[in-house]
Amino acid sequence: MSQLGSSFTLKGLTLRNRIAMSPMCQYSVEAEDGAPNDWHFVHYISRAVGGAGLILVEMTDVEPDGRISNRDLGLWSDEQIPAYRRIVDEVHKHGAKIGIQLAHAGRKALDAEPPVGPWNEPFDDKAKQPRALTTEEAWAMVGKFADAAARAVKAGFDTIQLHGAHGNLIHQFHSPGINKRDDEFGRDKAKFGVEVIKAVKAVLPPGMPLLMRVSAIEYAEYAYGLDHMLEIARGYLDAGVDMFDVSTGGEGGPAVKGKPGNYPGYQVPFARALKDALGVPVSAVGMLDDAELAEHVVASGDADLAMIGRAMLRNPYWAIDALRRLDGKTDLVATAYERGYPGQR
């Protein structure tokens, strides 16, 4: 059997294979109330039917003004819990596990009046002018992450991922080029993320792993490099992160420094770098569309999970197709669909 098709266990979470669906914003909350609707239900359940081991629900924000747009998901109210539980329960019926990515867009919030962040500089020359959070507001934001995590637990999610990448709020705090504060959250660039991790970890069941997405490097004029992220990540690891999902960039402005080429597997070396330096499980992203490439990533030990993004938007059954290509057949095909797969019965 392929390594991609082998199970993976992290603390109390066991996945049926090493294929994970990356969190990808759908911008489809038509009611703008933060709650998932039928679009999200079909979107996530179809990937469970399609064989993914882990499904990560898109960036879900801890307060209304934390959304990139008002059509994004949120988990700032107990009233939103039932809509998520409906999705979680159905995903479980089809054998997949499901997590949720909790986040705050910070200065990237397009519809906030005004957006907030660690400092008052905008994301780019088209973005709104943000307002710097006070020290007290930053501490309050830590609590909002914990409250959202507690709701995610009530909704039945198997794991939680914190979004500390792509220029969102946690990333903004640990980026020296963005965070120019002189308070406790500025003198220690890791502090905001560390406090969020500790607060979230405190509300999780003991066996539930905490995942975190990070940008290993930035691309902007003020960009940090891998050494800085390794230092920050050590703090996050000590605070309670169990696995890093390793990406790059997204901090804002034009990409002018250190941007890797846009080719299949281009971000995998960064995942391997964090894994080797920190001795921690990692997942890799970055155009892992080809089954053989995804297999190589996990079989070589570069990463423990292959995160599939746009390819799984194009094909909800990417996991089944990949495992059939690698192993000849898979027991993940639903009985109702077997007639569509020659030799599957």
Side-chain angles (χ1 to χ4, degrees):
M1 186 178 72
S2 63
Q3 288 298 304
L4 197 64
S6 66
S7 63
F8 175 71
T9 298
L10 182 66
K11 297 187 72 174
L13 174 67
T14 296
L15 308 179
R16 60 185 174 183
N17 56 52
R18 293 171 183 257
I19 300 169
M21 178 183 174
S22 282
M24 293 172 285
C25 289
Q26 297 295 290
Y27 305 110
S28 296
V29 184
E30 295 177 358
E32 299 188 355
D33 60 357
N37 54 34
D38 285 347
W39 172 269
H40 302 89
F41 183 84
V42 173
H43 175 63
Y44 292 113
I45 277 63
S46 62
R47 275 70 186 179
V49 174
L54 175 65
I55 294 165
L56 286 173
V57 170
E58 67 207 75
M59 177 175 169
T60 302
D61 298 288
V62 302
E63 68 170 4
D65 280 346
R67 294 173 289 178
I68 294 176
S69 82
N70 285 345
R71 291 169 65 92
D72 290 337
L73 291 179
L75 196 45
W76 59 77
S77 167
D78 289 352
E79 294 179 357
Q80 295 162 325
I81 294 174
Y84 288 100
R85 178 172 289 280
R86 175 180 177 235
I87 293 172
V88 170
D89 290 347
E90 194 67 23
V91 163
H92 286 161
K93 288 180 184 178
H94 297 285
K97 298 298 174 66
I98 183 168
I100 187 168
Q101 185 187 72
L102 298 181
H104 191 291
R107 67 179 190 168
K108 290 180 68 176
L110 301 176
D111 293 330
E113 296 291 353
V116 297
W119 197 239
N120 59 8
E121 293 176 351
F123 177 71
D124 58 28
D125 57 9
K126 297 179 181 178
K128 294 177 181 177
Q129 179 79 27
R131 177 182 65 80
L133 291 164
T134 67
T135 304
E136 292 74 19
E137 287 172 332
W139 277 110
M141 192 69 72
V142 169
K144 291 178 182 180
F145 273 91
D147 291 344
R151 295 185 185 103
V153 171
K154 290 180 181 178
F157 283 99
D158 301 297
T159 186
I160 287 172
Q161 183 183 88
L162 295 175
H163 201 344
H166 302 164
N168 291 294
L169 188 63
I170 295 176
H171 179 166
Q172 290 167 32
F173 268 95
H174 71 225
S175 172
I178 301 172
N179 181 357
K180 301 176 183 179
R181 305 167 68 95
D182 59 7
D183 68 351
E184 58 190 308
F185 292 106
R187 292 187 294 272
D188 179 358
K189 297 295 187 286
K191 184 174 179 60
F192 180 77
V194 163
E195 296 299 338
V196 168
I197 292 162
K198 289 179 178 179
V200 167
K201 199 79 172 180
V203 303
L204 301 188
M208 181 183 287
L210 179 62
L211 318 181
M212 189 172 197
R213 174 166 276 190
V214 295
S215 288
I217 63 171
E218 293 178 322
Y219 308 151
E221 190 70 43
Y222 51 75
Y224 65 68
L226 182 60
D227 287 345
H228 175 76
M229 191 66 249
L230 288 175
E231 180 182 354
I232 295 292
R234 285 188 183 95
Y236 291 167
L237 184 63
D238 290 343
V241 170
D242 297 296
M243 184 176 193
F244 287 104
D245 182 19
V246 186
S247 185
T248 59
E251 65 286 336
V256 297
K257 179 182 179 181
K259 188 178 189 304
N262 196 29
Y263 53 83
Y266 71 101
Q267 300 195 94
V268 173
F270 297 103
R272 184 66 190 237
L274 260 74
K275 182 176 183 179
D276 287 349
L278 304 176
V280 63
V282 299
S283 53
V285 302
M287 299 176 66
L288 305 181
D289 300 2
D290 183 81
E292 280 80 6
L293 174 58
E295 167 70 5
H296 175 74
V297 167
V298 297
S300 67
D302 286 340
D304 300 277
L305 298 179
M307 302 290 294
I308 309 302
R310 290 175 175 84
M312 210 171 276
L313 291 182
R314 296 189 293 270
N315 178 10
Y317 311 102
W318 187 95
I320 285 176
D321 290 349
L323 295 178
R324 279 175 54 84
R325 181 172 172 179
L326 294 169
D327 299 327
K329 64 183 300 183
T330 174
D331 60 3
L332 297 179
V333 177
T335 301
Y337 286 177
E338 284 183 345
R339 70 177 69 97
Y341 292 85
Q344 184 62 38
R345 291 195 179 203

